[in-house]
Amino acid sequence: MAATNPAESLQDEASCSICLDYFTDPVTTDCGHNFCRSCITQSWEATDTDFPCPQCRAMSPQRNLRPNRQLANMTEMVKNLSQTSVRPKEENLCEKHEEKLKLFCEEVQKLICIICRESRDHKSHTVIPIEEAAQQYKKKFKMHLKPLKKNLEDLLKFKSTEEKKAEELKSETERKRQIVESEFEELHQFLNKEKQIFLSRLEEEEKKILQRMSENETQVEQQSSSLKQLISKIEEKSQQPAIELLKDVKDALSRCQKMTFPVPEAVSTDMKLGFQLSFPQQLKKWIRKFEGFDWWMECGRYAVNVTLDPETAHPNLVLSEDRKSVVWGVTKQNVPNTAERFDTYPHVLGSEGFTSGRHYWEVEVGGEPVWKLGVCKDSVGREGAITLSPERGFWTVRLWYKQKCCALTSHETEHPLRENLQAVGILLDYEAKQVSFYDAEDKSPLYTFSDTVTRNLLTGKLRPFFGTNSEFPLRIRPVPD
């Protein structure tokens, strides 16, 4: 069938009949037909005489090929025309036959034209007019719309319910907040009242004890005066001549025997004080328990598996095989001297680095006379003298030979914390810009770095920090579930 579209006819005239593509370096044979030079040359490759035309089969005694420059120019023009002028397609036409789409095939659920209907692809299929198919599918869509609308209604109800819950939660939270504030205000008033009661009792008990002690003192002074007088008379009697001494010796001895000097009963300074002080101690335990609950909720969820990085360890530090504990070794180990390693102070970093989120780990320190724990920047210096402070990229606490544990808050400042720590918990809250320390045994807070310096400098990659020069192991322990 001849092409009816002028553009397609022009493309046919600019195409080689051998490769069916646009002419490339077109040439003309003796019979007047045109081919790509490479195509006709390849076609005649096995022939020495009588070269046939691939199109009309006419023979040429010689391989005569004449360049057709006009055809080459025309081919370029057709190429450009086909690229820039795209024929707009008429809507609702069959892509294959360019006929109007008037039918609908139910088997493949596709619009087809009349020619498609008679083709092998659709001849055995059930085909109906478009309008009839549209009515059928409208009914089907209507059937599906009902459950879809129901789903939408359910979702909107759910959304409304959740929004209502959110408002109720906010209201309940505000109510509880007021209750908490009221309860703590009441507790504050109660504690102040109890404080005054305890102080009054202490003052009264002190007065009673001092009164008894004063009475004892008066009694002792009186007895002392009587004793002094008797001693003076006896000494004077002893110095008299024999006759004078013996004249009233019976009366003198009788006075010595009859005079008694009972020792006053000692006054106990502990009377009732132990009982009176028990309530504040119990209150202190209750407060620690309350703080411990807050600690557990805050830290237990963010436990991470921390291990020690041998590449950063000072040469005298000896790490366990599982890299969970470290001790001070007397002899330096033969390790590479790299920029990652601490070369002066006995420090080592954790292998893990943190750039976001919350992370918690615990370290056993019982028996250690000297240790340092905390967090530092991955970029801190490792060579020479190092100052542990937030300004230098360190957020740490330390114990120095059984003195109180201290938080190293600046170049020169130490913040005393607590004695007799057995295990320390460290919580890094990257987004909040805080590093917190806890007594991991009774779950009570020790110290939190959250000042302006910390908020400004707690950036970049952060790593766990450890330091010890003790023979007792500093051990990272699993966090309880």
Side-chain angles (χ1 to χ4, degrees):
M1 180 184 292
T4 58
N5 190 301
E8 290 182 1
S9 300
L10 193 58
Q11 290 175 357
D12 290 342
E13 291 299 323
S15 300
C16 173
S17 61
I18 297 176
C19 65
L20 302 179
D21 201 353
Y22 288 118
F23 285 115
T24 302
D25 189 14
V27 293
T28 306
T29 61
D30 289 340
C31 60
H33 290 112
N34 300 297
F35 305 96
C36 299
R37 182 182 292 278
S38 59
C39 292
I40 189 64
T41 301
Q42 187 176 359
S43 176
W44 286 350
E45 195 172 32
T47 305
D48 294 330
T49 58
D50 295 334
F51 302 98
C53 171
Q55 192 167 342
C56 67
R57 311 308 297 175
M59 296 293 182
S60 298
Q62 295 180 350
R63 188 180 300 185
N64 294 326
L65 298 172
R66 299 185 302 278
N68 193 335
R69 303 199 181 282
Q70 288 182 329
L71 181 58
N73 293 336
M74 186 195 76
T75 301
E76 289 299 319
M77 293 172 64
V78 172
K79 284 183 183 179
N80 294 333
L81 182 63
S82 64
Q83 292 174 358
T84 57
S85 61
V86 178
R87 178 176 65 89
K89 288 188 176 181
E90 185 179 344
E91 293 182 357
N92 301 328
L93 290 182
C94 175
E95 293 181 357
K96 188 174 182 180
H97 303 107
E98 295 187 350
E99 292 289 337
K100 284 189 176 182
L101 299 170
K102 296 182 178 181
L103 302 172
F104 182 79
C105 177
E106 291 190 334
E107 268 73 8
V108 297
Q109 294 185 323
K110 182 180 178 182
L111 291 169
I112 62 173
C113 67
I114 296 175
I115 299 176
C116 291
R117 172 70 183 87
E118 300 301 321
S119 67
R120 292 180 180 179
D121 294 337
H122 300 279
K123 197 168 184 67
S124 61
H125 294 172
T126 301
V127 176
I128 59 176
I130 287 179
E131 292 77 13
E132 185 179 340
Q135 291 301 321
Q136 290 183 7
Y137 279 91
K138 281 182 181 179
K139 293 179 181 178
K140 291 182 179 180
F141 286 144
K142 190 174 182 180
M143 290 173 57
H144 287 291
L145 275 174
K146 188 174 181 180
L148 290 174
K149 287 182 178 179
K150 181 65 170 59
N151 289 338
L152 176 61
E153 184 181 349
D154 292 341
L155 287 173
L156 292 176
K157 283 183 179 178
F158 177 80
K159 180 183 176 184
S160 176
T161 302
E162 290 303 300
E163 288 175 346
K164 186 177 179 181
K165 285 182 181 178
E167 291 300 320
E168 291 174 352
L169 175 63
K170 290 179 182 178
S171 176
E172 182 66 9
T173 302
E174 180 59 30
R175 186 183 70 83
K176 289 183 177 179
R177 183 181 291 111
Q178 292 176 2
I179 291 174
V180 169
E181 289 177 354
S182 174
E183 291 288 337
F184 272 86
E185 177 62 28
E186 186 177 341
L187 177 62
H188 181 68
Q189 294 175 3
F190 167 77
L191 291 175
N192 278 335
K193 184 178 178 181
E194 288 297 312
K195 173 185 173 183
Q196 295 304 320
I197 291 173
F198 279 116
L199 291 177
S200 297
R201 288 180 182 176
L202 285 172
E203 187 175 349
E204 290 173 5
E205 194 67 20
E206 181 189 30
K207 287 181 179 178
K208 289 180 182 179
I209 294 172
L210 290 176
Q211 177 65 31
R212 291 175 186 174
M213 293 176 74
S214 177
E215 292 172 356
N216 286 347
E217 183 179 0
T218 301
Q219 182 180 349
V220 168
E221 286 178 356
Q222 292 174 352
Q223 291 177 348
S224 298
S225 177
S226 299
L227 275 172
K228 287 178 182 178
Q229 291 178 9
L230 180 60
I231 291 170
S232 177
K233 289 181 180 180
I234 296 298
E235 288 178 343
E236 183 181 347
K237 188 70 174 174
S238 299
Q239 300 300 323
Q240 291 178 351
I243 295 176
E244 293 295 329
L245 184 146
L246 295 174
K247 279 184 178 179
D248 55 351
V249 67
K250 183 178 180 180
D251 292 336
L253 289 175
S254 178
R255 285 197 298 272
C256 290
Q257 293 171 354
K258 289 181 178 179
M259 188 172 288
T260 59
F261 301 93
V263 178
E265 183 181 354
V267 179
S268 173
T269 58
D270 296 329
M271 190 178 296
K272 298 184 181 179
L273 293 181
F275 171 76
Q276 291 178 0
L277 291 176
S278 62
F279 174 72
Q281 290 172 356
Q282 289 175 353
L283 181 62
K284 186 176 181 181
K285 289 181 180 179
W286 177 83
I287 291 173
R288 282 202 177 184
K289 250 184 200 180
F290 181 79
E291 291 174 337
F293 175 77
D294 181 61
W295 170 90
W296 188 258
M297 294 298 291
E298 186 70 17
C299 303
R301 298 179 293 175
Y302 306 110
V304 291
N305 181 31
V306 172
T307 56
L308 301 169
D309 182 2
E311 300 299 322
T312 64
H314 182 275
N316 281 91
L317 293 182
V318 181
L319 276 57
S320 61
E321 284 190 20
D322 60 0
R323 294 191 291 158
K324 288 288 186 177
S325 66
V326 56
V327 297
W328 170 264
V330 178
T331 306
K332 281 191 175 183
Q333 300 179 85
N334 186 17
V335 291
N337 183 17
T338 64
E340 294 294 311
R341 191 177 305 282
F342 289 97
D343 64 357
T344 303
Y345 292 128
H347 300 158
V348 59
L349 300 184
S351 300
E352 295 69 24
F354 308 116
T355 56
S356 63
R358 291 179 176 178
H359 311 277
Y360 176 77
W361 61 97
E362 292 180 353
V363 184
E364 293 177 357
V365 297
E368 286 274 11
V370 180
W371 52 260
K372 306 165 193 172
L373 294 173
V375 172
C376 72
K377 287 191 171 188
D378 182 52
S379 58
V380 294
R382 318 286 171 87
E383 299 180 357
I386 297 172
T387 301
L388 302 184
S389 68
E391 292 86 349
R392 301 284 182 167
F394 295 88
W395 293 268
T396 58
V397 297
R398 79 172 183 185
L399 180 71
W400 184 259
Y401 289 107
K402 296 187 179 180
Q403 296 175 359
K404 281 190 176 181
C405 176
C406 296
L408 307 183
T409 54
S410 70
H411 290 300
E412 302 295 336
T413 304
E414 294 184 352
H415 188 89
L417 301 178
R418 190 175 300 173
E419 298 177 347
N420 301 323
L421 284 170
Q422 296 299 311
V424 177
I426 301 102
L427 174 66
L428 165 64
D429 190 336
Y430 196 97
E431 277 70 28
K433 304 300 180 186
Q434 291 182 352
V435 181
S436 301
F437 296 86
Y438 300 85
D439 183 337
E441 295 301 315
D442 66 9
K443 306 174 180 61
S444 59
L446 294 175
Y447 188 78
T448 295
F449 287 91
S450 58
D451 54 17
T452 303
V453 173
T454 297
R455 290 195 296 273
N456 291 337
L457 296 180
L458 199 69
T459 58
K461 186 177 180 181
L462 303 174
R463 297 174 69 176
F465 173 85
F466 307 83
T468 180
N469 43 354
S470 169
E471 296 179 358
F472 295 97
L474 201 63
R475 182 179 299 278
I476 304 167
R477 72 179 188 182
V479 178
D481 295 331

